[in-house]
Amino acid sequence: MPSYYDLDDIISESQRIPCKIEVTLPNLGILEGNPGQTITKDTKLELPIWIATVLALTEVERDSNINFITLLQPDAVSKKVINTIKTSPTSLDLHSVAPHYYSFIEKWAELFNDKDLVDTILVMLKERAMELNRFAHNLSGVQKESNFLYSLDEFEKLVYRSAHSGAKNYRGWVNGEE
Amino acid sequence: MALPRHLQNTFTPQELEFLTESELVRISPRYKFNGLDLITAKIPDMMPNRTMEVPLWYAILLKKQNRCRMFTPDWLTEDNLKAYLKKEKGNANAFTNLPFNWLELSKIYFTYASDEFRIDEIPKLKQLIAELKEVRAIKVQTGLKSIDEHYLQLDNLSRMEINEIRRFVTDVMGKYIQLKNTLVPEDEYEEDDEDVPMPTVGAAGEDDDEDGYENEGYEYNYNQ
C-alpha cells in the first residue's frame, strides 16, 4: 500500500471516472454543476474515483440489486489505449492518457480483478522502465530525443529521478566531488 | 521519514567508501610502535619491515604520516585487470568475480597510496577500471530486463554497482508488487463467498465489442 501521506496517491484518488447514475438523486445536481437540481436516473457523470468505487459497491436498499451508480469504462482502459500499449509501450504518451496512470490501473484492477489488464500493464511497466533507465544513464541521448521523457506519468518520473541520481552520484564520487 | 528522498533506501558512494575502510589490508610499517585494542579491530604491535594486516582506515592514517608502506591488492595490476577485462568481454551473461568492493578499493588506493604504483601505471589502471565498469554497466542494463516482482539475479555484481541501480530496481519492483497485489489469487477466487454483494458493472454505452481488449462484462469480485 502507498503511504498515507503519499501526495501522488491522494491526487490519483481524485481522478475522475465516468459512471452512470442508477437512481434519481434529488438535490444532488451540484455533482453535475447544477446546484439544487435533481439528478435523474441514467445520467452519465464523471465522479472522483474514491467516491465512485464506494457508490458502485453500495446497494440502494438492503438486499436490492441496484447500486447507486454503475461504472463505465474510462479512457485509460479503453480498447484504443490498451491496443497502443500492446503494440508499442514506449511510444504512448502516458502522461496525457492519465497523469497517474499506474495508480489508476491499480485501483481499477483491484475493483475488477482483471488479470489480462494487469499483465498488459506489467509488460508496459518493464519496457518503459528499461527505456527510461537508458535515458537516465545517457545524458546526450536525452537532448536528442526527449519526447519519450515528456510522456512519463508521475510514477515513472519518480523512477527516472531514482535511476538518474544513482548514475549521477556514482559519477560525482569517481570524479572526486564530495 | 525525516531523510530526504534521495538518501532513503540507499547509500551514497561516500558511505560505501567509508564502509570499505574497515577491510583488512596488508602494510609494512616503517617504525616500531604499540598496537591498539579497539572494539571492532585489534591492531597488532608495529614492527619495522614486518608485513601485517590492519584495517584500511588505519593504514590510510599511517600512510598519510608516511609511517608505512601499503601493499596494493593482487588484482590491482595492469596484467590482472587486462585479464579480468578479457574475461568480462568474453562472457555476455555473467560478471567476473572481482572483489565486491573493487571500485571503492581502487579509488582509495589511487588516492592515498599513489606512490605504491609504478610511475605512469595509475592512468593505465584507471583506464582499465573505467573500461571494466563500462562493460559491466552494459551487462547490468541487459540483466535488468529479467526483473519481475520476485527477484533479480545479477551474480558477482559489486556493492557500488548494486547501489547505483538500487533505487531504480526497488521502485520498479515495488510497482510490480503493487500491481500484482490488486489481483485476487486464483485459489481464493474459487471460494467466492455467496453473501458478498456482486453488482455487475456495465461497460460504456456505445461499444462495438468485436475484437481485442474485452470491453464488456467485467466480473465484479470484491472479497475483502
Side-chain angles (χ1 to χ4, degrees):
Chain A
M1 277 302 279
S3 146
Y4 180 76
Y5 297 103
D6 185 351
L7 293 182
D8 283 326
D9 187 57
I10 295 168
I11 297 172
S12 72
E13 289 254 281
S14 61
Q15 290 181 93
R16 283 164 184 270
I17 54 172
C19 34
K20 194 171 83 184
I21 306 292
E22 292 292 353
V23 287
T24 301
L25 304 169
N27 291 326
L28 275 177
I30 194 162
L31 293 175
E32 267 189 313
N34 302 322
Q37 304 293 305
T38 299
I39 296 186
T40 47
K41 191 170 178 277
D42 290 338
T43 314
K44 284 181 188 171
L45 277 185
E46 294 215 323
L47 290 178
I49 201 164
W50 60 269
I51 193 157
T53 48
V54 177
L55 289 180
L57 291 177
T58 316
E59 291 162 355
V60 176
E61 286 171 82
R62 180 176 269 277
D63 296 330
S64 79
N65 283 328
I66 306 164
N67 293 336
F68 282 101
I69 60 167
T70 308
L71 297 178
L72 302 177
Q73 192 179 48
D75 277 348
V77 293
S78 67
K79 210 190 292 176
K80 196 178 132 219
V81 171
I82 296 294
N83 279 341
T84 320
I85 289 173
K86 282 183 178 162
T87 350
S88 161
T90 48
S91 61
L92 174 69
D93 187 351
L94 206 55
H95 196 268
S96 68
V97 176
H100 293 87
Y101 192 80
Y102 291 101
S103 13
F104 170 73
I105 292 294
E106 266 169 53
K107 297 182 200 330
W108 189 256
E110 200 159 36
L111 230 43
F112 297 114
N113 199 34
D114 187 343
K115 190 164 183 310
D116 288 348
L117 175 68
V118 171
D119 287 345
T120 316
I121 301 303
L122 287 181
V123 173
M124 168 170 86
L125 169 62
K126 190 195 277 189
E127 284 216 22
R128 289 178 69 96
M130 293 308 126
E131 182 75 1
L132 71 85
N133 191 31
R134 206 169 60 77
F135 276 103
H137 285 261
N138 177 0
L139 289 174
S140 62
V142 173
Q143 279 132 23
K144 254 181 270 165
E145 26 174 346
S146 51
N147 276 348
F148 174 68
L149 291 182
Y150 288 118
S151 77
L152 301 181
D153 96 324
E154 294 300 324
F155 164 72
E156 288 172 328
K157 283 183 188 168
L158 223 67
V159 176
Y160 178 77
R161 211 169 299 151
S162 303
H164 181 68
S165 74
K168 195 180 102 196
N169 285 344
Y170 173 74
R171 261 198 310 275
W173 175 74
V174 167
N175 298 331
E177 294 156 20
E178 282 304 313
Chain B
M1 287 247 252
L3 279 176
R5 191 173 181 274
H6 69 276
L7 295 177
Q8 284 174 25
N9 316 330
T10 189
F11 295 101
T12 62
Q14 287 77 13
E15 283 168 325
L16 293 185
E17 185 179 331
F18 176 78
L19 289 178
T20 287
E21 286 181 7
S22 58
E23 175 146 325
L24 292 179
V25 294
R26 284 192 309 137
I27 61 164
S28 149
R30 292 191 212 278
Y31 302 94
K32 179 170 186 260
F33 39 92
N34 292 334
L36 277 169
D37 230 347
L38 304 176
I39 294 173
T40 52
K42 190 175 175 3
I43 290 161
D45 290 341
M46 296 287 142
M47 301 290 282
N49 293 326
R50 189 87 59 78
T51 307
M52 40 194 67
E53 286 202 327
V54 296
L56 186 52
W57 59 265
Y58 193 69
I60 293 171
L61 209 67
L62 294 182
K63 183 75 195 168
K64 277 182 181 164
Q65 301 165 359
N66 205 14
R67 286 181 174 196
C68 76
R69 272 199 63 200
M70 278 168 82
F71 294 105
T72 56
D74 295 339
W75 53 271
L76 197 57
T77 63
E78 205 180 330
D79 289 344
N80 282 341
L81 283 181
K82 273 184 179 158
Y84 272 119
L85 187 60
K86 205 175 158 209
K87 229 166 102 187
E88 197 74 68
K89 283 178 176 165
N91 188 345
N93 298 319
F95 298 94
T96 52
N97 55 344
L98 280 157
F100 79 106
N101 50 6
W102 62 287
L103 284 163
E104 296 96 308
L105 276 180
S106 61
K107 185 175 175 195
I108 289 172
Y109 274 95
F110 293 154
T111 314
Y112 298 108
S114 52
D115 55 336
E116 306 287 358
F117 296 92
R118 285 198 310 278
I119 303 169
D120 294 345
E121 201 183 8
I122 288 188
K124 281 182 204 157
L125 292 178
K126 277 189 173 167
Q127 175 69 24
L128 281 167
I129 296 269
E131 267 181 60
L132 265 168
K133 177 74 178 49
E134 194 80 358
V135 177
R136 288 161 74 97
I138 294 167
K139 284 189 203 172
V140 170
Q141 302 289 314
T142 328
L144 281 179
K145 291 195 179 118
S146 63
I147 195 173
D148 64 16
E149 76 275 21
H150 301 302
Y151 82 126
L152 173 73
Q153 185 169 2
L154 296 168
D155 289 350
N156 280 333
L157 200 61
S158 72
R159 188 162 63 184
M160 186 65 81
E161 290 161 303
I162 292 173
N163 197 55
E164 210 182 327
I165 58 169
R166 175 177 280 125
R167 275 193 41 208
F168 171 75
V169 171
T170 48
D171 282 359
V172 175
M173 259 189 179
K175 203 47 147 186
Y176 243 85
I177 294 167
Q178 279 178 13
L179 279 166
K180 279 269 177 183
N181 281 350
T182 59
L183 299 178
V184 181
E186 306 243 326
D187 43 336
E188 282 178 41
Y189 187 90
E190 299 295 323
E191 319 156 1
D192 220 343
D193 197 346
E194 292 286 316
D195 298 335
V196 172
M198 295 271 292
T200 50
V201 182
E206 61 298 325
D207 272 334
D208 47 333
D209 40 10
E210 305 131 54
D211 59 354
Y213 186 70
E214 235 187 343
N215 260 336
E216 239 177 358
Y218 276 110
E219 262 185 23
Y220 185 73
N221 290 290
Y222 190 77
N223 358 346
Q224 273 145 30

